[in-house]
Amino acid sequence: MADLNVKLWRGDENGGELVDYNIEAQDGEVVLDVVHRIQATQAPDLAVRWNCKAGKCGSCSAEINGKPSLMCMTRTSVFEPGETITITPMKTFPIIRDLVTDVSFNFKMLKRVPALKPKPREADGTYRMYQEDIERGQEFRKCIECFLCQNVCHVIRDHEENKTNYAGPRLFIRYADLEMHPLDTNDRLSLLQDKMGLGMCNITKCCTEVCPEHIHITDNAIIPLKERVVGDRYDPLVWLGKKIFRKSKAKTTVTE
Amino acid sequence: MTTTNTNSDNNSITAVEIGKPRGGPKVRTLRKDKWWIQPLLTTIGLSLFVLYGIWAALRNGDYFAGLLSGTSARNYLSPFYSPCVTHGCQYTTVPIIGTWYNISPAIVILIFPMGFRMSCYYYRKAYYRSFWFSPPACAVTEPHKKYSGERKFPLIINNIHRYFWYAAVVFAAILTIDAVNAFRFPNGQIGMGLGTLVFIINAVLIWLYTLSCHSCRHLTGGRVNLFSKAPIRLWFWKKVSVINPHHQLYAWLSLIWIAFTDFYVYMVSSGMIHDPRFF
Ligand code: SF4
Ligand code: SF4
Ligand code: FES
Ligand code: FES
């Protein structure tokens, strides 16, 4: 079999470079296999994060020929024979070493999400939910936290300064999941719009394009959240309706 | 229940440090595929439509083919000019605007479909990517230094999309009436020509585009958290959710077809072609 030409980013916070590796191609491999073979035979000090090799743990996120992807789910057969495969770490997060980045930003944003605050139990002491009430959120729970969506999102990828007030697509689906939850009584819409950067997203859908779980992040989470915010803030009819009918939402607005 | 949910107490752990060094080469993109094709095609497509639209709207003639006087029977009125609301119209739907108005009647009404499409979630994506390069394609650095999203004027206006949607429903209804009227031929006969088919397809595409709208989806059930208590809304929401994923397709098809419908009327009206009649 022909050889594979692989360029790997080697370096840490002090800088780095693309290093060429040449390795024999093998049938049925994914990019992560190749990286592992390079590590085993040519670069024992190569740092790469992985766990499941099955597209389920979300650890092996990287950029392959510039496209944010899971290394374990990208087959080498998709490349032309002789094509150079360039593998770089996720661009949006601080570099630790080689292909490993510091993704703690995402967990900090997760911590900022106001938790589920369920309404009181029913008279018999239980909670009842029906399938149709929780169906929408199930899609969001397929998330494997690979953070490829966070990485590709231009709001923080191209504008580091936005990171302080931007939850990002992975967390927007978390917010959507909670906001649509049949038992929840927290209202996170103001928080989302004012401090979590929902209005920063310009629905250009790159998050949806890269999601390995094919979650419709933009269509099913971000746009529905934006529409809810519109109802709260920018729609005089809804506002008037609320005034007239005094529809108390029985919800607690969380702004921090 | 005593679930606490404020995070103010752990603000320090959630503080984000910015400006740490990133990995990878400092280049605009490492993508090797033709990522620029899509924004390019979008730019060309939208520009062509805008140019055509300007020509069509300013044409102020040959936008109607059919019976000019007498009964309300008519056949083809260009969707760019429907409803025709000025006294100077070749065919007046409702004469709201008097004789003082003597420029093209298309201009009065086009603001609605234009606003609808300009604030549409899909077209927003399309023009942010292709005209504003924000971003031009995924994982391709955008050229702007600062970015504030849709939070400021003028982009914040896009939030009134649902109001344009209300108008769009009225317009879709009018275009449906136009399609029905396309069965009415001069002298009160009922018939069908190639143009009738063009009008029917136009109405169908406009409905698909309008009903697959994200604001429409929200209106049907986006706000509902307890679908088990709102079965009717759930039913509507599910129906809209079937067509909503194809919204982009309908956006393009209906855009192309509405221009074609206008051009068809122009061709018939100006005598360039003869509308073939089926029966
Ligand atoms: S759709 Fe919004 S959240 Fe998703 S990548 Fe684009 S800007 Fe970011
Ligand atoms: S939403 Fe998709 S892309 Fe984003 S972290 Fe979850 S699985 Fe990854
Ligand atoms: S190694 Fe688990 S997702 Fe790739
Ligand atoms: S018309 Fe496109 S989202 Fe409403």
Side-chain angles (χ1 to χ4, degrees):
Chain A
M1 283 201 86
D3 281 0
L4 285 174
N5 298 314
V6 182
K7 274 186 195 298
L8 287 182
W9 180 261
R10 302 299 310 269
D12 53 24
E13 77 263 19
N14 299 314
E17 59 179 347
L18 283 172
V19 178
D20 285 292
Y21 295 91
N22 188 276
I23 193 158
E24 193 197 337
Q26 287 182 5
D27 263 346
E29 280 193 320
V30 293
V31 168
L32 185 62
D33 293 321
V34 174
V35 171
H36 277 156
R37 280 204 290 126
I38 291 173
Q39 191 188 43
T41 58
Q42 303 176 31
D45 60 339
L46 176 72
V48 52
R49 190 188 274 140
W50 69 287
N51 260 294
C52 68
K53 237 192 85 179
K56 282 291 167 251
C57 72
S59 311
C60 66
S61 307
E63 306 198 358
I64 305 171
N65 283 351
K67 285 194 180 171
S69 332
L70 293 179
M71 286 189 276
C72 72
M73 296 306 277
T74 310
R75 302 185 73 95
T76 49
S77 57
V78 302
F79 302 100
E80 301 291 327
E83 185 182 343
T84 305
I85 308 173
T86 307
I87 309 168
T88 53
M90 285 195 281
K91 188 179 174 184
T92 305
F93 309 119
I95 185 77
I96 295 179
R97 197 156 67 85
D98 302 338
L99 299 178
V100 179
T101 53
D102 171 5
V103 293
S104 58
F105 162 79
N106 306 292
F107 295 105
K108 288 179 172 163
M109 285 302 161
L110 182 61
K111 279 209 179 104
R112 288 193 196 172
V113 182
L116 182 91
K117 187 178 160 206
K119 54 184 158 202
R121 289 172 192 274
E122 288 174 27
D124 58 1
T126 57
Y127 288 122
R128 271 184 193 79
M129 294 188 283
Y130 294 88
Q131 177 60 23
E132 57 263 43
D133 298 330
I134 42 138
E135 227 155 31
R136 263 180 306 181
Q138 282 173 332
E139 175 188 12
F140 307 140
R141 268 163 265 145
K142 289 194 303 186
C143 175
I144 59 170
E145 302 206 305
C146 63
F147 305 128
L148 287 171
C149 56
Q150 303 279 93
N151 170 53
V152 81
C153 182
H154 70 116
V155 176
I156 48 175
R157 186 183 176 92
D158 296 344
H159 305 279
E160 172 86 9
E161 71 281 6
N162 287 338
K163 274 187 189 166
T164 47
N165 282 301
Y166 190 66
R170 188 273 169 268
L171 281 313
F172 290 149
I173 64 175
R174 179 77 188 127
Y175 279 96
D177 192 2
L178 289 165
E179 281 298 296
M180 294 170 185
H181 199 286
L183 297 181
D184 182 58
T185 59
N186 266 340
D187 177 357
R188 305 165 184 79
L189 293 178
S190 293
L191 175 72
L192 263 168
Q193 188 70 356
D194 296 335
K195 294 190 182 152
M196 292 298 147
L198 186 65
M200 299 287 269
C201 160
N202 65 352
I203 51 175
T204 35
K205 283 199 175 175
C206 287
C207 49
T208 308
E209 271 182 39
V210 300
C211 178
E213 285 294 316
H214 306 293
I215 301 170
H216 297 91
I217 306 172
T218 322
D219 284 356
N220 289 348
I222 298 178
I223 294 177
L225 285 175
K226 277 184 178 252
E227 280 292 319
R228 286 185 179 204
V229 170
V230 170
D232 263 19
R233 287 223 174 158
Y234 306 110
D235 190 333
L237 277 185
V238 174
W239 178 85
L240 203 69
K242 272 194 203 142
K243 285 269 166 226
I244 296 172
F245 301 109
R246 293 198 168 274
K247 257 199 190 160
S248 81
K249 290 183 295 166
K251 283 213 166 199
T252 329
T253 305
V254 202
T255 53
E256 278 295 332
Chain B
M1 276 310 298
T2 53
T3 319
T4 43
N5 34 63
T6 69
N7 293 286
S8 42
D9 48 333
N10 50 19
N11 260 344
S12 48
I13 359 173
T14 62
V16 175
E17 230 182 296
I18 58 168
K20 288 200 193 160
R22 298 173 171 200
K26 292 193 172 32
V27 292
R28 187 174 178 213
T29 185
L30 287 168
R31 278 179 72 168
K32 291 188 191 158
D33 58 329
K34 299 190 178 60
W35 56 263
W36 41 269
I37 290 221
Q38 224 184 352
L40 184 70
L41 288 180
T42 312
T43 310
I44 294 174
L46 292 181
S47 306
L48 283 179
F49 179 81
V50 168
L51 289 179
Y52 181 84
I54 293 173
W55 175 76
L58 297 181
R59 192 169 74 227
N60 200 8
D62 292 329
Y63 52 81
F64 172 74
L67 193 68
L68 289 174
S69 58
T71 67
S72 66
R74 61 185 166 104
N75 41 36
Y76 307 149
L77 173 63
S78 158
F80 278 68
Y81 287 81
S82 182
C84 216
V85 294
T86 74
H87 270 283
C89 282
Q90 286 183 331
Y91 173 90
T92 309
T93 316
V94 264
I96 300 173
I97 298 174
T99 39
W100 55 268
Y101 183 89
N102 52 16
I103 55 170
S104 170
I107 293 170
V108 198
I109 54 147
L110 281 186
I111 178 85
F112 295 102
M114 219 177 68
F116 184 46
R117 294 207 183 227
M118 293 275 291
S119 61
C120 159
Y121 285 94
Y122 165 67
Y123 284 104
R124 271 144 80 181
K125 170 195 167 197
Y127 61 75
Y128 289 146
R129 279 200 189 195
S130 58
F131 287 88
W132 196 239
F133 300 148
S134 176
C138 303
V140 178
T141 308
E142 56 175 294
H144 310 286
K145 280 254 169 327
K146 278 240 168 309
Y147 174 85
S148 57
E150 299 194 306
R151 293 176 314 155
K152 293 190 177 144
F153 185 81
L155 296 181
I156 196 162
I157 300 181
N158 280 333
N159 283 316
I160 60 168
H161 180 58
R162 60 178 66 168
Y163 281 88
F164 283 113
W165 185 82
Y166 301 139
V169 172
V170 175
F171 272 71
I174 291 170
L175 294 185
T176 309
I177 297 171
D178 287 346
V180 171
N181 279 329
F183 282 95
R184 303 169 80 168
F185 276 69
N187 313 324
Q189 293 163 295
I190 303 286
M192 189 176 173
L194 183 57
T196 316
L197 196 63
V198 172
F199 270 74
I200 295 170
I201 295 173
N202 186 48
V204 169
L205 289 176
I206 289 291
W207 274 117
L208 282 174
Y209 173 62
T210 310
L211 293 178
S212 61
C213 163
H214 289 280
S215 291
C216 171
R217 191 180 185 216
H218 176 77
L219 248 66
T220 54
R223 187 102 220 184
V224 184
N225 287 349
L226 279 170
F227 270 136
S228 54
K229 296 225 164 68
I232 297 168
R233 300 194 69 179
L234 175 63
W235 188 87
F236 279 111
W237 183 82
K238 280 198 162 156
K239 293 285 174 281
V240 173
S241 298
V242 171
I243 52 174
N244 174 266
H246 312 293
H247 189 57
Q248 165 172 353
L249 178 71
Y250 302 141
W252 279 104
L253 290 181
S254 61
L255 192 77
I256 294 167
W257 202 264
I258 204 162
F260 176 70
T261 309
D262 173 75
F263 194 67
Y264 190 86
V265 174
Y266 167 74
M267 289 193 297
V268 174
S269 175
S270 64
M272 202 186 287
I273 59 161
H274 185 76
D275 179 42
R277 205 167 154 172
F278 302 153
F279 59 86

